[in-house]
Amino acid sequence: MSYKFDESQPIYLQLIEIFKTYIANGAWKAGEKIESVRNLALDFAVNPNTVQRALVELENIGLAYSQRTTGRFITQNQEKINNLKHEMAENKTRDFVIQMQAIDIEQREILDLVQRCLDSEEITNQQENH
Amino acid sequence: MSTILINNLCKRYGKFQAINNLSLELDSGQIVGLVGPNGSGKSSLLRIIGAFDMAYSGEVLINGLKPGLESRKIVSYLSDKPYISDNLRAEQIIKLYDDFFPDFNKDKAFRMLDLFKLKSEQKLVEMSKGMGEKVQVLLTMSREAKIYILDEPISGVDPASRKIILRSMIEGFSEDALMIVSTHLLNDIENIIDSVIFLDSGQIKIKGSTDDLREQHGKGINELFEQIFQ
Amino acid sequence: MFSKLYKYQVKELWYIARYFYAAMIGAVLLGLFVSATRIPGVVQFVNAITILGFILSCIAMIVFSVIYDYQNQQGKRSYFFRSIPAKESAVFSSRLAYYFTYHILTVLVFAIGITIFIVSNTAVEMKLPFHIAFSTVKDFFLQPKLIGLIFLLVVYTGLEHIISMMFAITIGSQAIFKKLGVGGPILVYFLHYIAMQIITLISMLLIPISIRLPQNFDTDFQFEIVFESMISEMSKVFSAQSNDIKIIGIGFILTTFVTWIIMSIWIYKASKNKISLN
């Protein structure tokens, strides 16, 4: 896998976002063992210390935990994962709304757009592909 | 004890001041990028750290030792003009290294040979420039050294090979080692280095963790580099 | 580590040395073959060319042995060679052994080749069968005293050549000579050469160890070591006590030995503490 990072942002912050997405969409399942730092570093073609830093951050916010001998795991606490999902959804929605407001779209029009978007074939197809 | 400790280092070639009162401290467990324009003193600095140039003034300590035979034992060095022998096949060179270096890991070398898709029975003279550089990188990375110095390891190779070489650097890097990579192709390595040193006219212009620098300046390391050295 | 380093250096030069030795042997065989035809004119012409090729190959061998050592010390292979965790004494002695191997090998091939040239030349010129020419030449050369003397000379000139080459390469590559590149070793070689000539001349004249030459070379082949210096013999000539200088100073052998030791220590220390690669 080759990943394109935004060079102007710290890589570890971008890694945290990627890992959160993995947890939210279930690519990384609750209670599952996380890949080794070196393998993740190889996958993302980044420095192992950067991966380490991102994973420690993941632990600090309670999404992962370490077991001294066996490695690092995703949290088994489903509530935390749900909270993460909601938080991410809220953040993304807020960003979206701010962007819409910035180009002067009214509230009703925003809702309308969202509905139309959800109804369109393009989106439905994409979801099926997932 | 710092892995590399340098105080007031000066190096001149005749009238040309290659390194000008440089001080630096580096610890293990990181990959450091050494960047700067041509003639900024990168290779000179690395040669001194590697104990390949003992004509300098100032203090240099490598793992507490003055550069010399003893310090050289813990340094795996890839020079910017690497060369061993045209007449040997890849497997013979690996054997030669295994003979000469007690810290050489033969299995790792053969693994990387496979990873690089090189043929063990091919002679160096028959290889392209990129293949030759890969062999050099794998030889350097296959030593279990404390310090790895790679002087322009990716300059002569195509982008695809560059990726594989960078991968092998991540793979070969161990947590208690220090790796210094000099390059002018900052773009390619900026994601794999922990910290970066910008060298200009033999002095350190900026030094710091790459993520901190990105945060501070709000731009990529390469962009920052271009801005500073315009 | 000594033997590994030695093997590496010998092998590395062997990749090209084998062609030179093959050329030398080929030249000798060609000369022999053409001589056997005894065609006037052709034999002399071909022999002149083959001997020239033979001698040039010999010189090239010596030159390449020096170039390869330079590549290990300072040139393209230096980063590899210098990385090897070997004690300086192992590096020094393996270099010495490497040079000596090719020196002896080259001298040996040279001696055998030249002997065969002489034999075939004698056979052609004197219209003798080859085996008779060979036994004549053999009787002349196979005197134990002569062989011993030649052996000593080979070792002596070999050591002189090897140590001065190593000295030139190591000292001429130090940081102060770096700007000159390969010119550094060449400059140091010539400076050293001039210094050695002066030292040799002075010690020949002043040190009171000499060999008294026989009065008549035809009847008397005895050399006698005397404890007199050439300078005192010269003053006798000037003061008309004697009319000829009949002794040759050999004190230079002593001073040469001393300079070899000094140079070896110098090489050893410089390659340990004063490395400065390009």
Side-chain angles (χ1 to χ4, degrees):
Chain A
M1 175 172 35
S2 183
Y3 200 90
K4 193 85 195 103
F5 288 96
D6 173 3
E7 308 289 6
S8 64
Q9 299 291 321
I11 306 288
Y12 84 98
L13 291 178
Q14 298 177 62
L15 277 178
I16 293 172
E17 285 312 307
I18 295 166
F19 295 162
K20 277 181 175 173
T21 311
Y22 286 176
I23 296 171
N25 69 19
W28 286 3
K29 293 185 181 62
E32 206 177 61
K33 190 167 188 268
I34 302 178
E35 276 266 30
S36 74
V37 169
R38 191 177 300 269
N39 283 345
L40 286 173
L42 284 169
D43 282 349
F44 289 96
V46 295
N47 185 295
N49 290 330
T50 310
V51 174
Q52 176 71 14
R53 194 171 170 187
L55 290 175
V56 167
E57 194 54 40
L58 226 52
E59 279 180 29
N60 288 343
I61 54 178
L63 289 171
Y65 64 96
S66 267
Q67 245 165 15
R68 201 175 289 167
T69 49
T70 46
R72 200 178 258 115
F73 295 84
I74 305 295
T75 179
Q76 284 163 329
N77 187 337
Q78 196 59 52
E79 201 187 316
K80 276 215 171 108
I81 295 176
N82 290 338
N83 286 345
L84 168 73
K85 265 177 137 166
H86 283 126
E87 190 191 314
M88 286 178 81
E90 265 170 38
N91 283 341
K92 285 190 192 301
T93 312
R94 190 178 306 118
D95 287 348
F96 165 72
V97 171
I98 289 171
Q99 279 167 27
M100 289 295 115
Q101 283 171 343
I103 51 172
D104 202 22
I105 309 285
E106 279 174 26
Q107 189 173 335
R108 170 160 314 148
E109 216 178 336
I110 294 174
L111 289 170
D112 220 38
L113 276 167
V114 171
Q115 191 58 54
R116 231 189 301 159
C117 206
L118 284 171
D119 291 343
S120 81
E121 272 178 35
E122 216 177 299
I123 296 280
T124 331
N125 283 343
Q126 262 192 18
Q127 279 200 327
E128 272 168 9
N129 287 341
H130 260 285
Chain B
M1 184 174 59
S2 304
T3 309
I4 291 177
L5 182 72
I6 294 172
N7 276 320
N8 310 325
L9 178 66
C10 291
K11 165 80 195 173
R12 47 166 64 246
Y13 301 103
K15 279 185 189 143
F16 178 66
Q17 188 86 37
I19 294 174
N20 191 1
N21 205 28
L22 180 147
S23 295
L24 176 67
E25 204 176 338
L26 291 172
D27 286 319
S28 290
Q30 54 171 341
I31 305 178
V32 180
L34 182 63
V35 293
N38 284 338
S40 58
K42 293 178 298 211
S43 291
S44 299
L45 177 62
L46 295 179
R47 267 199 293 270
I48 291 169
I49 293 172
F52 293 108
D53 189 352
M54 298 168 170
Y56 60 84
S57 73
E59 184 191 30
V60 179
L61 289 176
I62 310 301
N63 222 23
L65 297 164
K66 201 168 172 270
L69 178 64
E70 283 306 310
S71 83
R72 226 182 277 133
K73 284 181 185 169
I74 58 164
V75 178
S76 191
Y77 196 98
L78 173 63
S79 99
D80 58 344
K81 27 185 176 307
Y83 186 90
I84 307 167
S85 168
D86 279 339
N87 305 301
L88 297 176
R89 295 191 292 269
E91 57 190 354
Q92 288 175 311
I93 293 179
I94 290 178
K95 203 184 158 297
L96 189 72
Y97 259 67
D98 194 39
D99 258 5
F100 277 131
F101 298 99
D103 61 356
F104 192 75
N105 185 338
K106 208 164 135 191
D107 299 336
K108 193 169 165 185
F110 277 112
R111 259 205 319 277
M112 282 170 85
L113 204 64
D114 278 348
L115 178 76
F116 288 165
K117 298 194 171 57
L118 296 169
K119 293 190 196 78
S120 60
E121 67 279 4
Q122 194 168 18
K123 281 187 179 179
L124 238 67
V125 68
E126 298 157 352
M127 292 185 179
S128 67
K129 190 171 184 234
M131 288 157 101
E133 288 213 28
K134 282 182 190 169
V135 172
Q136 300 292 344
V137 169
L138 85 86
L139 291 170
T140 311
M141 294 306 302
S142 295
R143 283 181 60 191
E144 313 275 0
K146 276 217 164 66
I147 300 173
Y148 296 90
I149 293 177
L150 308 168
D151 197 359
E152 295 281 357
I154 50 169
S155 55
V157 301
D158 56 280
S161 304
R162 236 176 256 170
K163 259 187 194 147
I164 300 178
I165 288 179
L166 292 173
R167 253 185 90 89
S168 75
M169 282 161 58
I170 298 172
E171 205 165 281
F173 178 69
S174 76
E175 282 113 71
D176 50 3
L178 168 66
M179 191 187 289
I180 307 177
V181 189
S182 94
T183 185
H184 60 273
L185 300 166
L186 187 51
N187 229 339
D188 290 290
I189 69 158
E190 77 162 281
N191 285 348
I192 74 147
I193 54 179
D194 288 276
S195 54
V196 66
I197 299 170
F198 287 177
L199 215 56
D200 190 23
S201 312
Q203 283 176 317
I204 294 174
K205 225 161 178 190
I206 288 182
K207 172 182 180 287
S209 129
T210 43
D211 270 350
D212 289 351
L213 288 172
R214 285 191 189 98
E215 214 156 19
Q216 244 173 53
H217 298 270
K219 47 175 72 111
I221 302 296
N222 195 37
E223 214 180 316
L224 187 64
F225 175 78
E226 277 166 7
Q227 181 197 333
I228 288 171
F229 289 110
Q230 245 165 30
Chain C
M1 205 41 108
F2 162 81
S3 61
K4 284 180 192 170
L5 284 168
Y6 169 70
K7 255 195 232 154
Y8 170 72
Q9 293 173 88
V10 169
K11 255 187 172 171
E12 202 48 39
L13 183 58
W14 183 247
Y15 287 113
I16 61 154
R18 55 190 177 177
Y19 298 116
F20 284 108
Y21 288 128
M24 286 160 82
I25 293 166
V28 170
L29 292 179
L30 181 68
L32 196 58
F33 179 76
V34 172
S35 296
T37 64
R38 298 180 189 257
I39 304 168
V42 174
V43 173
Q44 282 75 8
F45 176 72
V46 173
N47 267 351
I49 289 176
T50 48
I51 290 180
L52 187 69
F54 180 78
I55 292 172
L56 285 180
S57 294
C58 247
I59 294 169
M61 259 322 297
I62 302 290
V63 170
F64 271 101
S65 71
V66 176
I67 290 176
Y68 270 57
D69 182 45
Y70 179 79
Q71 299 294 15
N72 285 337
Q73 292 299 306
Q74 196 68 20
K76 53 186 181 179
R77 279 187 295 276
S78 56
Y79 282 92
F80 166 68
F81 197 81
R82 284 291 175 190
S83 287
I84 297 168
K87 285 211 179 85
E88 206 41 62
S89 55
V91 175
F92 180 82
S93 48
S94 72
R95 283 174 76 192
L96 206 63
Y98 147 82
Y99 269 124
F100 224 79
T101 305
Y102 279 107
H103 186 78
I104 296 287
L105 197 58
T106 309
V107 167
L108 216 61
V109 174
F110 183 79
I112 293 169
I114 286 295
T115 309
I116 293 172
F117 274 122
I118 291 171
V119 168
S120 59
N121 205 46
T122 312
V124 171
E125 292 298 318
M126 302 179 80
K127 298 191 169 34
L128 291 172
F130 274 85
H131 70 274
I132 294 182
F134 179 70
S135 63
T136 316
V137 173
K138 189 187 77 180
D139 289 344
F140 177 74
F141 276 117
L142 273 186
Q143 300 176 58
K145 258 192 185 169
L146 191 63
I147 287 186
L149 192 67
I150 289 174
F151 178 74
L152 277 179
L153 266 174
V154 167
V155 172
Y156 183 87
T157 52
L159 271 175
E160 170 59 21
H161 159 74
I162 291 164
I163 293 177
S164 42
M165 283 304 160
M166 285 171 73
F167 183 77
I169 287 173
T170 310
I171 307 304
S173 300
Q174 278 182 208
I176 41 165
F177 295 113
K178 220 161 164 184
K179 260 194 186 164
L180 302 173
V182 190
I186 293 171
L187 177 70
V188 170
Y189 180 79
F190 279 108
L191 290 178
H192 147 268
Y193 182 77
I194 292 165
M196 274 312 265
Q197 293 305 310
I198 293 169
I199 291 171
T200 305
L201 185 67
I202 290 173
S203 38
M204 258 177 107
L205 291 175
L206 295 184
I207 297 177
I209 300 179
S210 305
I211 286 179
R212 183 165 292 284
L213 300 177
Q215 293 295 323
N216 186 338
F217 279 99
D218 293 329
T219 55
D220 164 27
F221 213 64
Q222 289 301 309
F223 297 91
E224 188 195 349
I225 291 179
V226 291
F227 294 97
E228 282 173 58
S229 68
M230 280 180 90
I231 209 98
S232 64
E233 179 90 353
M234 280 175 175
S235 63
K236 280 185 206 159
V237 174
F238 284 126
S239 59
Q241 285 170 10
S242 161
N243 53 6
D244 208 356
I245 300 172
K246 277 289 180 188
I247 63 171
I248 287 179
I250 54 166
F252 70 91
I253 296 176
L254 276 176
T255 43
T256 304
F257 269 110
V258 173
T259 48
W260 285 351
I261 292 167
I262 294 171
M263 282 159 74
S264 298
I265 295 170
W266 199 341
I267 295 166
Y268 176 87
K269 290 210 161 158
S271 53
K272 190 174 180 183
N273 303 321
K274 295 215 166 120
I275 294 170
S276 185
L277 299 187
N278 298 312

